[in-house]
Structures are given as C-alpha cells and as structure tokens.
C-alpha cells in the first residue's frame, strides 16, 4: 500500500522540477505583494537570484510608471479573477526593460480562501523586436509605394497637362490662323467659306473639350447629377448617330444601326445617355480605318436594355484592357500617337452608366481585330410607351425644328448688354442689333445703373464676373430701379460659368435664363426674344 505522505512529497517534487525547468518566469506572492517563490527562469529573465527576490515586494521588477497595474491585478485577484496574457513591461536588475506576457492566477488555501497569487511571465522581447522590425519594414514599403505612386501621379499630371495643351492649341491654331487670314481681306469667297467652317468646327471642338473637363470635375467632386424621366432609347441612339455621322462620312467609315422592337422605353437622363452613346460611337469611328464599319445595336434582354457598339477597327491589346475606363488613361500618350483626345471619354461613359444603375464592358480579340462595347441598363417602370422614332431620311422638309432655324426678329426691343470684356460686349451687341434690337452697352455695373436712370430696357443681358460689382448685385439694383417705375425686367446671364451648379445659382438669384459662353448667336437671339415675348 502506497504511503500518502510519500505520494504528496513525490507530487511536490515533480511540481518543483517543472517550475524550475520552465522557460517562463514563475513567481508566487502574497496578497500584500511579497514574493514567496522565484524560479530559475525568473532569475534568467529579470537578473535577480531567488535569494535576492524572495521576501521583497513585487514592485522590485515593476517600473514606477506601471505601479498602478499591480493595484489593478491585486483587486481582480481578490475577486477571484484570472488575468490571461496581459502584455506589459517589467524592469530587470540591470535596469533594462523586459517585454512580457503575464498570466496571474489566485492561490487558495485548503479552506478555499485566496491567500496569494501565482504569476507566469513569458519574455516576449524577441517577439516584440521581430514585430517592430516587421512593422518598420512594412512602413518603409508603404513609404516607398506612396513615393512611387506620387511620382506616377506627378508623371500622369505632367502628361495630362502636356496632352491638354496640345488638344487646346490644335483647334486654337486653326481658329487663330484662319481669323488672321480673314483679317487680311485677301480671301476669295470659297476660301472665306472654308475659313468660317474651320473656325466654327474648331471652336466647337474646344467647347466640347471644356464640357468634358467640366464633367470630369463633376465626377471627381461627386456633383454629377441625372435628370431622370421617361425616354425613348431608340430616339436617343438615333440622335447620337446623327451627331457622329458627319465625322464617319468624312473618314469613309460606314455607320449603321440595328434597333430591335421592345427596347425603346426606359427611365433615364436622355442627354447623359446620348453622351454615353456619342462617346462610344466617336471612339469607334476614331479607331476604325477608312472603309471600316461601326455598328450600334439596341436590344432588349430580359429586364435590361443593351446598347452594343462594335467596330472593325484597331482593336485593344490585352495589356490595355485593365485601364481602359480610367480617367486620362490612353494606350498611347506619346508625341507620335496616331489619335487625339484626352482619354476621358470612356471614363465618363462608365460613370454615367453607373449612375443609371447599369454596367459597361469592353471586348476585343486583340489588335487589328476590332472592339465591342456593351452597355447594359435596367428597365424601370415607364409611365407611357413611346412611338418608334421616325427615320431621319423619312422626315418631310417641314419637320419639327426647322422653324427654329428661321430668323427671329427683335425689332423694337430695347436691350441693355453689360460686360467688362470689350470684345464680348461688342459681339453680343452686334448679334442683337443684326436681329433688329435697339441695344445699349455698358462695361460695368455702375455704368449700367447710370444708363437705367434715363432709359428703360425690355431685357437685361449681363455678364456675372465683373470688377467692382458683379452681375448678381447689378440685377438686384436694376430690379429696384425698374420696379419703382412699375416695369418688370427679365434678365439673361451670359457668362463663362457654365457648370450645372452655376446655372442653379444663377436662376436662384432671380435671373430668367442662363447661357454659357461661348454662345451660339442664334441661341442668344432666341433667348432674348423669349424674354421679350417675341417667340409666340
């Protein structure tokens, strides 16, 4: 029969051997914090021998700034709690800090009363050092990556500014050159027509470029908004085709459309969807050589409408696919590139399609094998279906819209035009005078008020940004003057501020209409006629 005393002694000896052979510091203490045991690992980790440590307070190894931790540990022990893997710092005999992971358990007597604590401290200095080295390495990598990205962004900005300068100067060169030729007065009638057409064509290109840049700004700032209403997708597509057809014809590219029945009606912003289709078609025409073909296919697929634009052009190399819809991303941005553009058209397409809740994707079998762009749009509930659009070729000569091209008379209308830009002021006045209006001009808001003191115009046309006093202030003062006479004064803002948010601000300020520079002369006359009651 085994002696119970010997059994207890053997168990105690085994426990002591385990404690002494442990790689972790194992320390016992009373509830008052007095050390009662100290194993060999504690000697190795903290530098104090058992003789030096036993009987002393545990604060022997606790830094001054961490003494509050011991108070918290003791209070939790008294409640019978166990503290597991608490990471902290202790101080060795030589003063160096030691990173440890601490586990503390309450020690109870035979009656179950808590009389002390057992602490197991694992030295995690090497682990912490490795973590710090890893964090330092990661931080260096992040800094290197951020530096590389910043350099890439700067290169991209420089590249974009160079491309923008080129794209702005190219049409400006034609405008400036032809204008100087006209100024000589030596051109014959055919040359004058060519000059006029070239100036109009290149000015329109610059206007489109500026509008695209505005749209990119709206995308970046989150200010792009849709004016959603029921629309006929087929009519939108046909309108985009009509806009692109002259460019395709001039290049010798065959443009065709396939419109499937049942894919006409949906909810969306017709102007923005036309912009999507126009960009895809112009892109296809640009990259399709003479004699090639561009096809626009409209079809209904389950609960979606698909607009597919395909071409037989240059195609897209696989390495360019990932950045195809990125802003300012171009397959070739070198000075020897074969195509113009800023690389923003497809980025706008993607964003506008996203705003409609749709998707756009591209496919190409490779360079020289053409490309296909597919826009998928959800079909929402539409209040009423639309009749199919008439084919342009079938429209009679007196189709709606031709009346708008007839001259509008402003005879007997009195117009006050205000602009600090002398050339802009002269141009607007000449346009209105040629339409029959009686026009007076002012280079400033103060001068305009002086004119109003002795003359009552039917319409005010004013710039907004002017030195001294802007157009908003002028409108308020002018309205006070005319109201005192019992007259109303409709006002048109003719300004270089052309964003949608500018238009909202202008109308909210009390202007009747907003026109962005550069303005189409016919549009200016029509707007003034509308304000003067001459379009009925």
């Amino acid at each position: 029969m085994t002696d119970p005393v010997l059994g207890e002694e053997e168990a105690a000896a085994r426990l002591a051997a385990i404690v002494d052979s442990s790689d972790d510091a194992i320390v016992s203490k009373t509830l008052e914090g007095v050390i009662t045991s100290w194993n060999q690992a504690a000697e190795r980790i903290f530098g104090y021998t058992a003789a030096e440590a036993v009987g002393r307070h545990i604060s022997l190894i606790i830094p001054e700034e961490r003494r509050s931790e011991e108070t918290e540990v003791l209070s939790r022990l008294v409640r019978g709690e166990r503290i597991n893997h608490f990471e902290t710092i202790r101080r060795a005999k030589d003063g160096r800090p030691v990173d440890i992971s601490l586990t503390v358990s309450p020690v109870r007597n035979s009656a179950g009363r808590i009389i002390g604590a057992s602490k197991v401290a694992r030295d995690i200095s090497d682990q912490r050092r490795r973590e710090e080295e890893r964090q330092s390495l990661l931080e260096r990598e992040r800094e290197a990556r951020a530096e590389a990205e910043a350099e890439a962004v700067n290169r991209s900005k420089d590249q974009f500014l160079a491309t923008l300068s080129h794209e702005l100067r190219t049409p400006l060169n034609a405008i400036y050159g032809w204008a100087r030729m006209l100024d000589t007065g030596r051109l014959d009638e055919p040359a004058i027509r060519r000059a006029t057409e070239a100036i109009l064509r290149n000015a329109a290109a610059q206007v489109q470029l500026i509008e695209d840049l505005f749209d990119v700004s709206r995308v970046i700032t989150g200010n792009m908004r849709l004016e959603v209403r029921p629309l006929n997708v087929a009519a939108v597509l046909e309108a985009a085709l009509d806009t692109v057809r002259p460019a395709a014809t001039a290049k010798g590219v065959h443009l065709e459309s396939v419109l499937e029945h049942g894919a006409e009606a949906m909810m969306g912003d017709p102007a923005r969807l036309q912009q999507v289709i126009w960009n895809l078609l112009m892109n296809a025409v640009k990259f399709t050589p003479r004699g090639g073909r561009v096809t626009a296919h409209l079809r209904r697929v389950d609960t979606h409408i698909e607009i597919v634009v395909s071409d037989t052009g240059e195609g897209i190399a696989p390495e360019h696919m990932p950045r195809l819809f990125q802003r300012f991303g171009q397959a070739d941005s070198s000075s020897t590139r074969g195509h113009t553009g800023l690389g923003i058209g497809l980025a706008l397409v993607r964003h506008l399609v996203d705003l409609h809740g749709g998707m756009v994707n591209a496919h190409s079998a490779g360079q020289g094998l053409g490309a296909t762009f597919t826009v998928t749009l959800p079909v929402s509930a539409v209040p009423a279906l639309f009749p199919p659009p008439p084919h342009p070729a079938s429209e009679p000569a007196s189709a709606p819209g031709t009346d708008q091209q007839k001259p509008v008379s402003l005879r007997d209308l009195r117009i006050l035009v205000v602009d600090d830009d002398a050339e802009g002021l002269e141009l607007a006045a000449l346009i209105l005078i040629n339409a029959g209006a009686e026009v007076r001009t002012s280079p400033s808001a103060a001068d305009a008020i002086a004119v109003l003191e002795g003359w009552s115009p039917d319409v005010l046309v004013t710039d907004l940004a002017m030195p001294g006093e802007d157009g908003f202030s002028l409108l308020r003062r002018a309205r006070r003057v005319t109201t005192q006479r019992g007259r109303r004064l409709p006002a048109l803002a003719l300004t270089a501020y052309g964003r949608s948010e500018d238009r909202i601000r202008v109308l909210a300020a009390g202007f009747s209409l907003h026109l962005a520079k550069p303005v189409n002369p016919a549009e200016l006359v029509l707007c003034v006629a509308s304000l003067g009651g001459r379009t009925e």
Side-chain angles (χ1 to χ4, degrees):
M1 189 171 178
T2 305
D3 188 337
V5 176
L6 291 176
E8 290 177 4
E9 289 178 353
E10 183 179 353
R14 287 179 180 176
L15 180 59
I18 292 172
V19 169
D20 279 339
S21 62
S22 173
D23 290 332
D24 297 330
I26 300 177
V27 178
S28 297
K29 65 176 184 179
T30 66
L31 289 179
E32 289 73 28
V34 177
I35 300 170
T36 57
S37 70
W38 187 269
N39 72 344
Q40 292 182 11
E43 292 184 1
R44 176 176 51 80
I45 293 172
F46 298 113
Y48 293 99
T49 65
E52 292 174 317
V54 173
R56 297 182 66 179
H57 196 272
I58 194 66
S59 59
L60 174 71
I61 59 171
I62 301 176
E64 184 70 32
E65 66 275 11
R66 292 185 177 268
R67 295 286 170 84
S68 60
E69 292 178 359
E70 181 65 12
T71 304
E72 174 64 20
V73 167
L74 286 174
S75 64
R76 293 178 63 180
L77 281 172
V78 170
R79 296 195 298 268
E81 296 180 19
R82 174 186 170 96
I83 295 95
N84 289 311
H85 308 297
F86 171 58
E87 293 188 2
T88 184
I89 297 175
R90 293 296 180 255
R91 186 182 60 230
K93 184 178 181 179
D94 58 8
R96 61 184 170 82
V98 181
D99 292 301
I100 64 168
S101 175
L102 188 63
T103 297
V104 185
S105 304
V107 175
R108 303 175 186 271
N109 61 13
S110 57
R113 186 167 62 87
I114 298 173
I115 59 172
S118 174
K119 292 188 175 185
V120 178
R122 175 165 296 176
D123 187 352
I124 57 171
S125 299
D126 289 341
Q127 177 184 331
R128 281 284 179 86
R129 186 166 51 253
R130 287 193 297 270
E131 287 179 358
E132 289 173 359
E133 290 174 354
R134 177 176 172 274
Q135 283 296 107
S136 177
L137 179 61
L138 288 174
E139 186 61 32
R140 287 198 298 271
E141 289 179 353
R142 277 195 293 268
E143 289 174 357
R145 193 181 305 115
E147 185 176 345
E149 289 174 356
E151 290 177 357
V153 168
N154 286 333
R155 284 196 303 270
S156 177
K157 286 180 180 178
D158 292 343
Q159 189 179 78
F160 168 68
L161 289 174
T163 304
L164 177 61
S165 174
H166 177 272
E167 294 301 305
L168 285 172
R169 287 177 180 274
T170 298
L172 186 61
N173 177 66
I175 294 169
Y176 182 75
W178 279 111
R180 293 300 298 266
M181 292 292 290
L182 286 170
D183 188 53
T184 64
R186 299 173 185 173
L187 299 181
D188 57 17
E189 283 300 319
I192 290 174
R193 283 196 299 273
R194 289 200 306 275
T196 304
E197 290 169 358
I199 290 172
L200 290 173
R201 185 170 58 251
N202 285 279
Q206 279 203 325
V207 170
Q208 183 60 53
L209 182 64
I210 292 168
E211 286 298 324
D212 285 346
L213 289 171
F214 272 139
D215 282 342
V216 169
S217 175
R218 293 183 187 107
V219 168
I220 293 172
T221 58
N223 289 324
M224 180 73 79
R225 297 291 184 268
L226 299 182
E227 296 181 7
V228 178
R229 59 180 182 267
L231 61 87
N232 188 322
V233 189
V236 172
L237 190 146
E238 287 286 9
L241 285 166
D242 288 342
T243 306
V244 174
R245 193 167 278 111
T249 302
K251 193 176 180 183
V253 174
H254 183 65
L255 194 62
E256 63 181 22
S257 61
V258 180
L259 310 180
E260 295 185 7
H261 180 68
E264 296 96 355
M266 66 168 286
M267 297 292 292
D269 186 327
R272 292 304 185 182
L273 283 180
Q274 183 172 334
Q275 186 178 4
V276 166
I277 300 169
W278 179 87
N279 268 295
L280 293 177
L281 288 171
M282 283 301 294
N283 212 52
V285 170
K286 181 197 296 187
F287 291 99
T288 299
R290 180 174 294 276
R293 182 181 302 272
V294 173
T295 303
H297 192 165
L298 175 65
R299 63 195 178 201
R300 176 76 175 262
V301 180
D302 298 326
T303 59
H304 291 78
I305 285 176
E306 282 190 355
I307 302 168
V308 183
V309 176
S310 57
D311 62 66
T312 59
E314 297 178 9
I316 307 166
E319 62 268 23
H320 297 312
M321 279 291 188
R323 58 191 183 94
L324 198 61
F325 294 100
Q326 292 179 359
R327 286 193 299 271
F328 314 125
Q330 293 178 309
D332 181 9
S333 56
S334 67
S335 60
T336 58
R337 63 187 181 142
H339 302 284
T340 59
L342 290 176
I344 58 181
L346 290 180
L348 287 173
V349 165
R350 184 188 64 178
H351 190 77
L352 291 172
V353 171
D354 286 346
L355 286 178
H356 279 86
M359 296 184 299
V360 58
N361 60 71
H363 172 75
S364 176
Q367 288 185 294
L369 299 174
T372 298
F373 289 81
T374 302
V375 174
T376 304
L377 299 167
V379 179
S380 306
V382 182
L385 295 177
F386 299 87
H391 193 277
S394 67
E395 292 183 1
S398 60
T402 54
D403 289 342
Q404 296 178 5
Q405 299 175 5
K406 295 178 181 178
V408 176
S409 175
L410 301 181
R411 182 175 297 279
D412 299 328
L413 271 183
R414 290 170 295 183
I415 316 297
L416 175 58
V417 182
V418 186
D419 198 329
D420 64 304
D421 175 41
E423 292 185 349
L425 183 64
E426 182 182 5
L427 176 62
L430 182 60
I431 291 170
L432 297 173
I433 289 171
N434 286 344
E438 178 187 345
V439 178
R440 294 194 184 182
T441 60
S442 293
S444 67
D447 186 77
I449 294 299
V451 171
L452 285 170
E453 294 294 339
W455 188 67
S456 296
D458 297 303
V459 178
L460 170 66
V461 177
T462 181
D463 187 22
L464 294 181
M466 297 184 291
E469 184 177 357
D470 63 19
F472 295 103
S473 174
L474 169 60
L475 178 63
R476 291 191 295 270
R477 293 178 63 193
R479 286 261 170 86
R480 283 197 294 268
V481 172
T482 54
T483 301
Q484 289 172 358
R485 298 173 183 167
R487 293 176 57 89
R488 57 183 294 273
L489 181 63
L492 168 66
L494 182 59
T495 173
Y497 293 113
R499 303 174 301 169
S500 59
E501 49 266 44
D502 296 323
R503 177 176 175 272
I504 292 170
R505 181 187 173 207
V506 163
L507 297 179
F511 281 92
S512 310
L513 289 174
H514 167 271
L515 273 182
K517 297 176 181 179
V519 67
N520 184 320
E523 189 176 7
L524 174 59
V525 171
L526 189 62
C527 286
V528 171
S530 174
L531 294 180
R534 295 299 178 84
T535 57
E536 298 177 358

